[in-house]
Amino acid sequence: MTAEGKTAGQSLPISVRNVVKAYGPLRALDDMSIDVRAGEFMTLLGPSGSGKTTLLMALAGFVSPESGSIRFGGQEMVTVPPHKRGVGMVFQSYALFPFMSVEENVAYPLKIRRVSAADQKARVEAALELVQLGGYGGRRVHQLSGGQMQRVALARAMVFEPRIILMDEPLSALDKKLREQMQIELKALHRKLDATIVYVTHDQREALTMSDRIAVINQGRIAQLDTPEALYRRPKSLFVADFIGESVVLPVVLHDGAATLNGCKLKTTSSFGSAEGPYHLVIRPELLELSPDSSDGLMNDLSGEVREVIYQGDSALVLVRVGVDQEISLRVPASRAGSASIPDIAQRISLGLHAEDTIIVPETAL
Amino acid sequence: MAVQEMAGQKRTEGLWLAVIGSAVLFFLILPTLIVIPMSFSDAAYLEFPPKEWSLRWYREYFGSAEWMAATRTSIVAAILTTLIATPLGALAAYGLHCSSTRIRNAAQILVVMPIVVPIILIAVGVFHLYAKLGLNYTLAGVVIAHVALALPFVIITVLSGLKSYDFNQELAARSMGASRPRAMLDVTLPQVKFSVQAGAFLAFITSLDEVVVAMLISGGEYATITRRMFNALRDQIEPTVAAISTCLIAISVLALIGIQLIGRRGRGER
């Protein structure tokens, strides 16, 4: 697959070029460029105020960029009004029409398109079937649970077979359990639909779960665009490393092309460029190994004293002091073997971090 | 023991609140209600309580061509004011709701101007403007002035209605293919219907009981009822005015009850 994308069936690629949108002195989109492949599930991930929602609204046509280009499958969209862009849209607040029944809600885009009544009925029922709400057409919106409302909103956004569907934090109003269930359903739905999905969230776990690729956005720019695994294992900046997954960050010193922590040279397979400025070692608690096997010579040794053991149900977090005043954490799974190996407080333990798991990033992206 | 004392104290406070509250309400409403018995008096002047009862002043009112013409002018002006001020005010509220906070705050000050500025100043200003335009003593003149006075009420009520409306619904409708006007009519309007109706009611009442501006700019064939009542009170104090007031109160109360009923049915549906 190339960045220009496969042209699978109906779905359209999106190409954003040098888009600028400023609100007063704040640049919500600062020379933003991004390519979304046809049929891809692309997540825009970032903290609040990063510009991710502004980008989504620009794709939908509700925000007009000051400069730059937005193309859907080669066609320029910047001057096209929202109602002629043909994108489906799902909102965090569901945005269902409360005075209409479920059926009328889902039929609305078809009504606008003057689809015949019989056709409308069949397509509405099929869409509701697809979100597992078959037979709910006659219900009033206020009779539905939050999860059901979001399913109706999904059905309504895809009933007219848009080739691009935009979603603005659609699951954040749901409770954790339902959210996780809906994430899996949405992913399955994406496979069935022939549509490019652009999904906005601030929840990194959600992004990792669902996306083909993730664009991490910070201050109106893309900090990194990669697959979930690459983002997690090979972050390119401190911001991305810190934002994705749980991590402990320690400052390192660059010396003769090698990074050193507290005077010890770190073995690493990560290439960290040659930028000036501070560098950091990013330690994921679950990648640390207790009593490591150093026979392959690729282990970094991080011995220290146990300060605290925090029980968290599925696992335990062990806080370990290394060096003079640095604290790192190690995650031990709650399995039988894992529980047996949890050290005691004040015990000195030996921790290993494999060269392949040793992530070194610059403070600022290049 | 202490708890009981406190409960007792609360009860006493509640009693006082009820007494003072009713007294205030009573004094507010009494002057309005006193015209009702006076209107049924048989005497040739305003008296309370009436010694003899009769409907003569109602006959006087409904039998007088002048009074009827003034009533017609007032009702036509009120209806036209409502028909113009309601859509205009609703659209203005919509526009302000969609504007940036800075523009909205600035505009809101301008919008409430007609309520804040002493009405006599507006009346004088309108009179001089109308003198140049030739709009004094015309129905159009009355309606235009009343629309200006009624607009703030419509805008404020509709704006407050829009505040509790999830605007994403309109964005959703537009993404589904509805043009902006269509999305507004299909999705937004049905949900702010009650504030629009309330705004319309206020516009109607604003026009119907406006007297200061009407004193200066209405007259002759197109004198409003309030203007004629004012003149009647000045020239000869006769109970016809009480009869008309009673009719106006009845219209207002009926309209208010109607709005309440529509509102209740609407909430029941949701």
Side-chain angles (χ1 to χ4, degrees):
Chain A
M1 282 193 287
T2 64
E4 302 316 313
K6 53 182 184 182
T7 40
Q10 287 241 296
S11 56
L12 287 177
I14 301 169
S15 165
V16 175
R17 283 282 164 276
N18 311 104
V19 164
V20 174
K21 178 71 194 178
Y23 294 106
L26 177 85
R27 285 197 145 198
L29 296 176
D30 188 2
D31 202 25
M32 167 76 70
S33 295
I34 182 171
D35 279 298
V36 185
R37 296 165 188 154
E40 187 171 35
F41 195 119
M42 168 73 84
T43 297
L44 309 178
L45 174 67
S48 58
S50 59
K52 55 187 193 304
T53 301
T54 309
L55 177 56
L56 195 80
M57 288 297 165
L59 294 179
F62 298 123
V63 161
S64 345
E66 272 131 47
S67 62
S69 144
I70 296 172
R71 286 167 185 275
F72 294 171
Q75 202 196 335
E76 182 57 54
M77 283 291 151
V78 166
T79 52
V80 177
H83 67 282
K84 293 197 173 136
R85 294 198 182 192
V87 298
M89 190 139 188
V90 182
F91 294 86
Q92 181 184 345
S93 62
Y94 319 131
L96 295 180
F97 310 141
F99 58 97
M100 296 184 191
S101 69
V102 167
E103 196 170 24
E104 286 165 335
N105 263 280
V106 180
Y108 186 77
L110 302 178
K111 203 176 99 190
I112 299 265
R113 285 171 175 72
R114 299 172 195 278
V115 172
S116 75
D119 222 16
Q120 270 188 36
K121 208 170 163 56
R123 283 171 72 175
V124 166
E125 197 47 45
L128 286 175
E129 209 69 68
L130 205 56
V131 294
Q132 299 170 29
L133 281 180
Y136 276 68
R139 301 269 180 113
R140 308 300 304 182
V141 167
H142 65 83
Q143 293 172 316
L144 304 178
S145 69
Q148 289 170 333
M149 285 196 217
Q150 200 51 291
R151 280 167 216 254
V152 174
L154 275 170
R156 192 179 64 173
M158 61 195 202
V159 71
F160 59 104
E161 291 168 7
R163 297 185 282 180
I164 292 169
I165 301 178
L166 308 174
M167 304 192 185
D168 186 12
E169 311 221 10
L171 305 181
S172 9
L174 304 177
D175 63 63
K176 186 168 177 288
K177 205 168 168 180
L178 190 57
R179 192 162 64 229
E180 282 166 3
Q181 184 196 333
M182 288 290 285
Q183 285 167 6
I184 295 165
E185 276 184 39
L186 258 181
K187 210 172 146 75
L189 203 57
H190 173 236
R191 263 186 235 109
K192 277 187 232 166
L193 293 175
D194 200 7
T196 308
I197 294 185
V198 181
Y199 188 99
V200 162
T201 184
H202 63 268
D203 180 345
Q204 47 100 7
R205 185 162 291 279
E206 188 165 286
L208 292 174
T209 307
M210 306 177 67
S211 323
D212 292 326
R213 288 192 304 162
I214 300 171
V216 182
I217 297 181
N218 189 30
Q219 298 179 339
R221 287 169 168 274
I222 293 185
Q224 190 172 348
L225 195 160
D226 247 319
T227 62
E229 197 193 346
L231 274 181
Y232 189 78
R233 297 189 58 90
R234 293 185 297 280
K236 288 195 178 116
S237 65
L238 183 60
F239 176 81
V240 174
D242 209 30
F243 199 74
I244 308 263
E246 194 182 2
S247 58
V248 172
V249 177
L250 300 178
V252 295
V253 178
L254 277 203
H255 192 70
D256 288 342
T260 57
L261 176 71
N262 301 328
C264 298
K265 204 169 149 188
L266 288 168
K267 298 161 194 145
T268 177
T269 55
S270 86
S271 55
F272 41 84
S274 54
E276 288 295 318
Y279 278 78
H280 299 272
L281 168 65
V282 177
I283 302 172
R284 309 280 192 203
E286 68 280 9
L287 296 181
L288 279 173
E289 293 171 34
L290 199 54
S291 324
D293 166 23
S294 315
S295 56
D296 63 356
L298 284 173
M299 268 305 171
N300 291 302
D301 178 43
L302 294 163
S303 310
E305 185 190 311
V306 176
R307 301 281 301 153
E308 190 72 74
V309 177
I310 300 159
Y311 181 71
Q312 292 182 326
D314 57 349
S315 61
L317 203 61
V318 180
L319 306 186
V320 182
R321 179 194 282 173
V322 296
V324 187
D325 58 352
Q326 292 163 331
E327 202 161 80
I328 62 176
S329 52
L330 151 82
R331 190 170 287 289
V332 183
S335 66
R336 200 166 59 91
S339 307
S341 68
I342 292 177
D344 298 323
I345 292 176
Q347 192 183 333
R348 277 202 74 78
I349 55 169
S350 167
L351 293 174
L353 185 62
H354 196 271
E356 280 176 26
D357 296 332
T358 303
I359 305 160
I360 291 171
V361 293
E363 176 119 355
T364 49
L366 304 178
Chain B
M1 197 58 184
V3 174
Q4 266 173 2
E5 253 168 49
M6 256 166 67
Q9 205 178 339
K10 271 223 167 115
R11 215 171 300 135
T12 324
E13 273 172 25
L15 196 68
W16 272 111
L17 195 66
V19 168
I20 295 172
S22 334
V24 169
L25 274 181
F26 188 68
F27 286 120
L28 279 178
I29 296 174
L30 193 66
T32 314
L33 296 184
I34 211 161
V35 303
I36 299 175
M38 286 200 298
S39 72
F40 293 102
S41 161
D42 193 38
Y45 46 88
L46 287 169
E47 65 166 7
F48 184 84
K51 293 193 186 73
E52 303 275 330
W53 301 91
S54 100
L55 290 173
R56 65 181 277 204
W57 300 113
Y58 285 89
R59 278 195 295 274
E60 177 79 28
Y61 170 42
F62 287 105
S64 149
E66 268 191 7
W67 279 121
M68 282 298 105
T71 306
R72 212 172 302 119
T73 301
S74 270
I75 288 179
V76 168
I79 289 173
L80 288 177
T81 300
T82 309
L83 289 181
I84 296 169
T86 308
L88 219 56
L91 282 172
Y94 175 89
L96 287 177
H97 186 74
C98 297
S99 325
S100 70
T101 327
R102 233 179 47 219
I103 293 176
R104 188 164 57 234
N105 289 345
Q108 257 167 348
I109 295 173
L110 280 178
V111 160
V112 296
M113 261 324 186
I115 302 180
V116 180
V117 171
I119 187 115
I120 187 74
L121 293 186
I122 297 178
V124 170
V126 170
F127 176 75
H128 280 283
L129 186 66
Y130 277 12
K132 287 205 176 87
L133 298 174
L135 278 171
N136 280 324
Y137 287 33
T138 65
L139 182 63
V142 174
V143 171
I144 293 170
H146 283 180
V147 165
L149 293 177
L151 269 178
F153 295 106
V154 180
I155 295 177
I156 290 168
T157 12
V158 177
L159 258 183
S160 81
L162 282 168
K163 253 176 216 153
S164 57
Y165 161 68
D166 175 15
F167 208 75
N168 282 340
Q169 287 178 34
E170 196 177 299
L171 300 192
R174 287 165 67 192
S175 75
M176 286 181 268
S179 64
R180 193 165 186 178
R182 170 117 201 230
M184 200 173 85
L185 287 177
D186 275 3
V187 176
T188 305
L189 187 61
Q191 292 180 77
V192 293
K193 199 165 63 187
F194 302 118
S195 4
V196 174
Q197 281 167 353
F201 171 70
L202 288 174
F204 185 82
I205 294 298
T206 303
S207 169
L208 193 65
D209 71 21
E210 200 285 319
V211 63
V212 181
V213 175
M215 279 304 287
L216 286 182
I217 65 157
S218 86
E221 201 186 335
Y222 293 113
T224 65
I225 184 91
T226 46
R227 194 210 146 99
R228 268 203 198 290
M229 284 165 78
F230 205 84
N231 282 354
L233 283 173
R234 196 188 53 198
D235 301 344
Q236 79 272 17
I237 298 180
E238 54 155 325
T240 319
V241 174
I244 300 169
S245 301
T246 305
C247 292
L248 287 180
I249 292 171
I251 292 177
S252 302
V253 170
L254 284 178
L256 196 60
I257 290 173
I259 286 280
Q260 290 286 331
L261 285 181
I262 293 168
R264 186 166 308 159
R265 210 186 53 206
R267 273 191 296 279
E269 268 173 22
R270 251 186 289 158

